[in-house]
Amino acid sequence: MTHLLLDLPPLDAARFASIEDRVARLLGTGQDVVIMQGEALLPLEGAIRATAGPGTTALNVITGPYGQTFGDWLRDCGATVIDLAVPFHTAVTAEQVRAAFAEHPEIDFVSLVHAEAATGNTNPVAEIGEVVRAHGALFYLDAVASIGAEPVLPDAWGVDLCVIGAQKAMGGPAGVSAVSVSERAWARMAANPRAPRRSYLSLLDWKERWIGGGRKALPHAPAQLEMLALEACVERIEAAGPAAVTARHAAAAAATRAGAVALGGGLEPYVRDAAQAAPVATTLRAPSGTVASELVARALAVDPALPLAAGGGALAQEMIRVNHYGPEATPGAVRACLTGLGTALAEAGAVVDLPAALSAAEKAWR
């Protein structure tokens, strides 16, 4: 007995390499791209442990929970870490990064999250990249949430390590991820005696055994189903056109924001400046006197398929997240979320105007 997902012919090295090449084209990069066989936390941690150590002074930008995690990893590697934290309802600026360099000229590593799906903000990487490049620091970027929702251009932005995952805006699998690596980053790894070797975290193993061997023999058996799913989602983006895919996410974000404001009931955007709001997901501040997680639970009780979630940790009290990414970046998903939130708010005693919200969302979709 056969099954669609079983008894597939083995994924050979040539097919694996061709998928890497397609990911590289999606990123517009001439750097090496390594597809790692695990969720994006694998290359995110592996890249930090490969390039940071006791001699590193890192500027760690915190605009959400992942920035906090990167700081923990950097400290665990022995790096001196200078945290640049901004309120989660805003974004960091290039000027703030420039000021940090002026105060700490010894900084030689910068870690930044492009878009924080958890908090709904997005950072101006192109502008920040210019500042980092002028200073000469190594630039590490988490673009897991942003890829597919907005342009991600590591070469143009001077990014040395750019990590992506397919499970959000790309609409693909969570079990594989990728990182683009500049020559400067490879050199930093090679000079780091603490860089992981003979380890699942090791990028240098991939460099020597895979890239150095001409990508002829895989270091270990690939995650076949996840690799094929990654190939399929990249094909889908190529067919639609990356610009059309990012435009769809931008439209979903604009429609959700406009609809939430028109809905009333005290609901308002969590990220105050629309220019700093991420296209991948829209975060909303729950009205005073309500609990975000309870409102989300009410909405999901009516329609469990809604792409709604409460904020993580302490943010569960005040933040609602509309995850309009991938297949949910549609007018229908936005309308359904606004309807669900309107119903939940009305049940909680708030006065809402659902027709106005739906009308505003439709006008904002562009």
Side-chain angles (χ1 to χ4, degrees), residues 84-105:
L84 172 54
V86 302
F88 288 178
H89 64 258
T90 187
V92 72
T93 67
E95 189 52 45
Q96 287 173 304
V97 173
R98 184 179 288 109
F101 285 148
E103 186 175 355
H104 301 280

Side-chain angles (χ1 to χ4, degrees), residues 203-221:
L203 281 165
L204 281 174
D205 288 355
W206 280 94
K207 170 69 169 173
E208 294 179 2
R209 298 177 58 192
W210 172 240
I211 297 172
R215 300 193 298 175
K216 301 296 184 184
L218 288 162
H220 51 73

Side-chain angles (χ1 to χ4, degrees), residues 47-60 70-71 73-83 101 104-111 135-140 161 184-185 187-189 191-195:
I48 281 180
R49 295 195 180 277
T51 51
T56 303
T57 300
L59 177 66
N60 180 51
F70 300 158
W73 286 339
L74 286 161
R75 290 182 177 91
D76 190 54
C77 290
T80 298
V81 181
I82 297 155
D83 286 327
F101 285 148
H104 301 280
E106 69 276 19
I107 292 170
D108 62 359
F109 184 100
V110 175
S111 52
H135 186 76
L138 202 75
F139 193 9
Y140 163 101
L161 294 156
R184 288 202 321 150
R188 177 81 71 99
M189 293 180 208
N192 181 9
R194 295 195 176 194

Side-chain angles (χ1 to χ4, degrees), residues 42 48 53-54 81 102 106 127 184 214 225 238 254 261 270 275 284 290 310 322 331 338 351-352 361:
L42 174 62
I48 281 180
V81 181
E106 69 276 19
E127 298 170 19
R184 288 202 321 150
L225 295 178
E238 290 172 344
V261 170
Y270 189 85
L284 304 169
T290 65
V322 183
L338 291 171
V351 177
V352 297

Side-chain angles (χ1 to χ4, degrees), residues 154-188:
D155 290 11
W157 297 343
V159 177
D160 295 287
L161 294 156
C162 182
V163 177
I164 67 168
Q167 69 268 32
K168 288 187 166 64
M170 288 178 67
V176 289
S177 48
V179 54
S180 65
V181 187
S182 72
E183 287 302 321
R184 288 202 321 150
W186 284 130
R188 177 81 71 99

Side-chain angles (χ1 to χ4, degrees), residues 273-365:
D273 185 346
Q276 297 177 342
V280 67
T282 296
T283 49
L284 304 169
R285 191 179 297 276
S288 176
T290 65
V291 177
S293 59
E294 294 176 359
L295 291 174
V296 169
R298 287 177 188 239
L300 292 177
V302 176
D303 185 354
L306 292 176
L308 290 175
L315 293 175
Q317 295 289 310
E318 61 178 354
M319 181 189 288
I320 298 166
R321 193 170 73 241
V322 183
N323 295 319
H324 47 66
Y325 54 70
E328 302 295 351
T330 65
V334 172
R335 286 194 300 269
C337 286
L338 291 171
T339 300
L341 290 173
T343 300
L345 285 166
E347 290 178 357
V351 177
V352 297
D353 189 342
L354 183 57
L358 297 179
S359 176
E362 183 178 359
K363 291 176 182 177
W365 188 281

